[in-house]
Amino acid sequence: MSYITRTLGYARKIGLKEYWHQLNYIGDTKYGTLIGTDSFGNKFYENKDELPLRTRWVDYAKHDFDAAQIEPLWHAWISYSVDTPPTQDPLMSTLNRPWAPKSHIPNRTFTRGAFKTYNTTKPKLQAWEPIAAPR
């Protein structure tokens, strides 16, 4: 199916409101079944009729997109590491990892909460400062 016919076909299936929402936020129109929702409110969709590696996508609840806004189990599903979503996998639903934090911690890169390294050792090299004799 060509791009124009696929886009217009999906616009007919999802309606004008959702069509406009998808064009504004993901830049493409997609049609699929809702697989589940995570604790952040992100909605996960799947369409088996799409091209390979374009069958799964997420509609973020917040519209400042960051891949760290997806929980780890959903991230494994959306990146094709796991075939069954966390809502349908019995092992994932009863998964208890004592080493993992109880709530998801988002990525704080490029924010005030980002980790910044600092050095506490004395430098081995010192900058050379020229001494100029007065004339």
Side-chain angles (χ1 to χ4, degrees), residues 6 8 65 68 73 86 90 93 97 100-102 107 109 114 116 132:
R6 181 180 70 87
L8 292 176
F65 307 126
L73 297 176
S93 62
R97 301 180 296 177
K102 298 298 178 199
N107 185 0
T109 305
K116 294 184 178 112

Side-chain angles (χ1 to χ4, degrees), residues 7-15 19:
T7 302
L8 292 176
Y10 287 166
R12 192 179 79 240
K13 289 180 183 179
I14 62 177
Y19 174 78

Side-chain angles (χ1 to χ4, degrees), residues 30-105:
K30 292 181 175 278
Y31 171 74
T33 57
L34 178 67
I35 299 299
T37 306
D38 66 357
S39 64
F40 295 122
N42 300 326
K43 297 176 184 175
F44 296 88
Y45 295 93
E46 186 172 30
N47 182 358
K48 298 281 188 178
D49 298 332
E50 271 287 346
L51 297 171
L53 298 178
R54 291 189 56 176
T55 58
R56 299 174 184 173
W57 69 95
V58 60
D59 185 14
Y60 290 96
K62 292 184 178 179
H63 296 294
D64 52 345
F65 307 126
D66 186 10
Q69 294 173 349
I70 300 177
E71 292 179 346
L73 297 176
W74 279 108
H75 189 271
W77 177 77
I78 204 144
S79 61
Y80 300 93
S81 298
V82 178
D83 290 333
T84 56
T87 55
Q88 298 173 0
D89 192 2
L91 183 63
M92 296 283 191
S93 62
T94 61
L95 188 63
N96 184 12
R97 301 180 296 177
W99 48 267
K102 298 298 178 199
S103 61
H104 177 65
I105 300 170

